[in-house]
Amino acid sequence: MKKTILMSALLALFVFSCASTSSATVAVGEAKTKVLKILGNPVRTLDNNQNGEILVYADQIFVKDNSEGSQIAGSHYWLYNYVYVNKEGKVTSTRQEKQNYPPQAIDSVKMEGLNLLTSK
């Protein structure tokens, strides 16, 4: 009995620890509440003018250095997952991209003027 409970707990821990922005996906048409259940809270929420909002999820990815035993963090990048939600609370599209800047540096006003995909 104890072995079954322990194995169940370890399996649940493994499943929840493997969830990240890059592996979890949401479908177009999903409700915002379901997105929040799947991906959790976004690191940023941007206003998408009259179209709704953009939920920004980000994972910082470190590239492993080839030197053995190095304790210094190597180079890194940010993997972004943008989830576009309309005024009705439904997902209209999603997009992923790699960037070198952190989530705090995202400026939706500047992005809108550049006509990037993230400012739909």
Side-chain angles (χ1 to χ4, degrees), residues 40-101:
N41 291 325
V43 295
R44 296 276 312 265
T45 301
L46 305 174
D47 183 30
N48 196 15
N49 291 330
Q50 303 300 320
N51 299 325
E53 60 188 353
I54 304 170
L55 306 178
V56 180
Y57 294 90
D59 283 331
Q60 190 173 19
I61 309 296
F62 288 91
V63 180
K64 184 174 170 125
D65 190 3
N66 289 336
S67 61
E68 294 292 324
S70 174
Q71 298 296 319
I72 300 173
S75 61
H76 68 279
Y77 62 89
W78 290 87
L79 182 61
Y80 287 98
N81 188 6
Y82 298 95
V83 179
Y84 298 87
V85 179
N86 63 15
K87 293 284 186 184
E88 291 78 36
K90 301 288 183 184
V91 174
T92 58
S93 65
T94 63
R95 184 173 71 83
Q96 286 190 348
E97 73 178 13
K98 289 184 192 179
Q99 290 295 341
N100 291 325
Y101 54 81

Side-chain angles (χ1 to χ4, degrees), residues 12-64:
L13 179 65
F14 176 75
V15 169
F16 289 117
S17 67
C18 291
S20 72
T21 303
S22 59
S23 65
T25 59
V26 294
V28 172
E30 295 283 354
K32 180 181 174 183
T33 55
K34 188 169 183 180
V35 172
L36 295 174
K37 285 181 184 178
I38 294 171
L39 297 177
N41 291 325
V43 295
R44 296 276 312 265
T45 301
L46 305 174
D47 183 30
N48 196 15
N49 291 330
Q50 303 300 320
N51 299 325
E53 60 188 353
I54 304 170
L55 306 178
V56 180
Y57 294 90
D59 283 331
Q60 190 173 19
I61 309 296
F62 288 91
V63 180
K64 184 174 170 125

